[in-house]
Amino acid sequence: MKKLFDLIKADFITMNGGKNNMRTIFIFLFIFCGVFGLFISPLFGIYCPILMGGLFVPTIFKNERKYHSEKLHCLLPVKKQDVVKARFMMILGLYIIMSFLFYLIMLIALIFKTYYLFWGAMMAENMEILSLLAERSGGTFTVFGLFNLIYIVAFAIGMMTAAGTLRKNFKDNKTMELSFKKITQKEYIFLLLIFVLLIIWVMIVSGILPVGMALVVIIQLLIQLAKTANGFMLGVMFVTIAIFSTIYKYICTLLEYEDKEF
């Protein structure tokens, strides 16, 4: 265990060297999610886990790619699997701590309505969305329950994204760097995919596209889980999926990195 913590400490030193240090991403997240969440709307906290999941690995290991220091571990008396374990521990640990911190900030904003202090009732109206959705659920959700469920889903998505980007970084640093530079193209594909899914959803709702019984059963199951314990059970399901997905990506990374030649 001491060896793993030493590797994490070495990564922290590398990440904080030069101009491209890890403080940049944390400052950006605090400004965008923390300040906006407190003084505009707690719903900004939903973006925090997803942003961290996508930006943590490309930003934190930017120095390593820039100075080509990924081969440094070959000179140290450590196993490749120790490097993988240490970095998964570091990334997931930072991700969980930051997600919990921002959850507390958003919860404070939601309870004490700090957004009233800055924008007043004008911008605070967007919080009525949560109340409206809670009312339309037939009393199933409270505002806090619905907010918690949305944040948990965002947390699960961000965790899977962080594990996936870390696996890709281990697999090929150069590919990771190039894909990060072409992030606008990825965003375009993502938006196109969302647009297609929305069209499919509209066709299903309007009855143009027939829905199979399997999909109906799945939707009914999700609704029942959402009604249980103020959305808690549905949140647990998403987190469980994220944990198993992360474990799968961790095992794949161990096997792939062990066979990688420098």
Side-chain angles (χ1 to χ4, degrees):
M1 186 61 69
K2 183 180 182 300
K3 186 183 294 184
L4 297 180
F5 282 111
D6 288 339
L7 286 171
I8 293 174
K9 189 185 299 183
D11 279 335
F12 268 103
I13 295 172
T14 305
M15 288 183 297
N16 283 299
K19 296 180 180 179
N20 302 311
N21 54 63
M22 63 181 294
R23 289 190 293 270
T24 305
I25 183 64
F26 289 115
I27 292 172
F28 168 76
L29 287 171
F30 269 107
I31 292 176
F32 183 80
C33 297
V35 176
F36 278 49
L38 280 173
F39 299 118
I40 295 182
S41 168
L43 294 177
F44 272 96
I46 297 168
Y47 297 105
C48 179
I50 298 176
L51 281 173
M52 287 192 299
L55 296 178
F56 254 26
V57 175
T59 306
I60 287 177
F61 296 110
K62 190 174 182 179
N63 274 337
E64 182 179 82
R65 294 190 302 275
K66 181 179 179 180
Y67 300 111
H68 305 286
S69 58
E70 65 272 6
K71 299 179 182 180
L72 176 63
H73 295 105
C74 298
L75 305 176
L76 301 175
V78 293
K79 299 178 181 178
K80 288 183 178 180
Q81 61 180 0
D82 291 332
V83 179
V84 175
K85 289 177 184 177
R87 290 199 169 176
F88 264 85
M89 284 175 57
M90 179 182 67
I91 292 296
L92 293 178
L94 286 173
Y95 176 77
I96 292 172
I97 291 171
M98 290 289 291
S99 295
F100 182 71
L101 177 62
F102 278 108
Y103 172 76
L104 292 179
I105 294 174
M106 299 308 118
L107 201 59
I108 290 172
L110 194 65
I111 294 173
F112 296 101
K113 302 183 187 301
T114 54
Y115 41 89
Y116 273 101
L117 301 176
F118 191 70
W119 286 104
M122 180 182 69
M123 288 298 293
E125 288 179 358
N126 58 34
M127 288 305 298
E128 293 181 3
I129 298 173
L130 286 179
S131 301
L132 183 62
L133 289 173
E135 290 175 4
R136 287 187 176 181
S137 66
T140 302
F141 286 115
T142 64
V143 173
F144 294 109
L146 187 56
F147 173 78
N148 288 338
L149 177 59
I150 294 173
Y151 194 89
I152 288 172
V153 172
F155 172 82
I157 294 172
M159 177 183 286
M160 290 187 287
T161 305
T165 52
L166 185 55
R167 178 190 175 186
K168 190 174 182 180
N169 186 70
F170 270 111
K171 192 173 182 179
D172 191 349
N173 282 13
K174 294 180 181 179
T175 303
M176 184 68 186
E177 186 173 8
L178 290 173
S179 64
F180 184 61
K181 288 180 179 179
K182 295 181 180 179
I183 194 169
T184 52
Q185 182 180 357
K186 279 195 169 185
E187 287 178 348
Y188 173 77
I189 296 173
F190 178 74
L191 291 174
L192 183 62
L193 178 62
I194 294 296
F195 179 70
V196 172
L197 290 175
L198 285 174
I199 292 177
I200 294 174
W201 174 254
V202 171
M203 292 176 68
I204 291 174
V205 173
S206 60
I208 299 174
L209 188 66
V211 181
M213 288 303 297
L215 185 58
V216 172
V217 172
I218 293 173
I219 293 174
Q220 290 178 345
L221 176 62
L222 291 175
I223 293 173
Q224 291 301 320
L225 287 173
K227 289 182 178 180
T228 306
N230 205 13
F232 177 75
M233 291 304 297
L234 185 59
V236 169
M237 186 193 76
F238 277 105
V239 172
T240 303
I241 293 173
I243 291 173
F244 278 107
S245 174
T246 301
I247 293 173
Y248 168 76
K249 290 167 184 173
Y250 166 71
I251 295 173
C252 289
T253 306
L254 280 176
L255 299 174
E256 293 165 353
Y257 194 62
E258 192 68 35
D259 296 332
K260 184 177 178 180
E261 297 180 1
F262 291 95

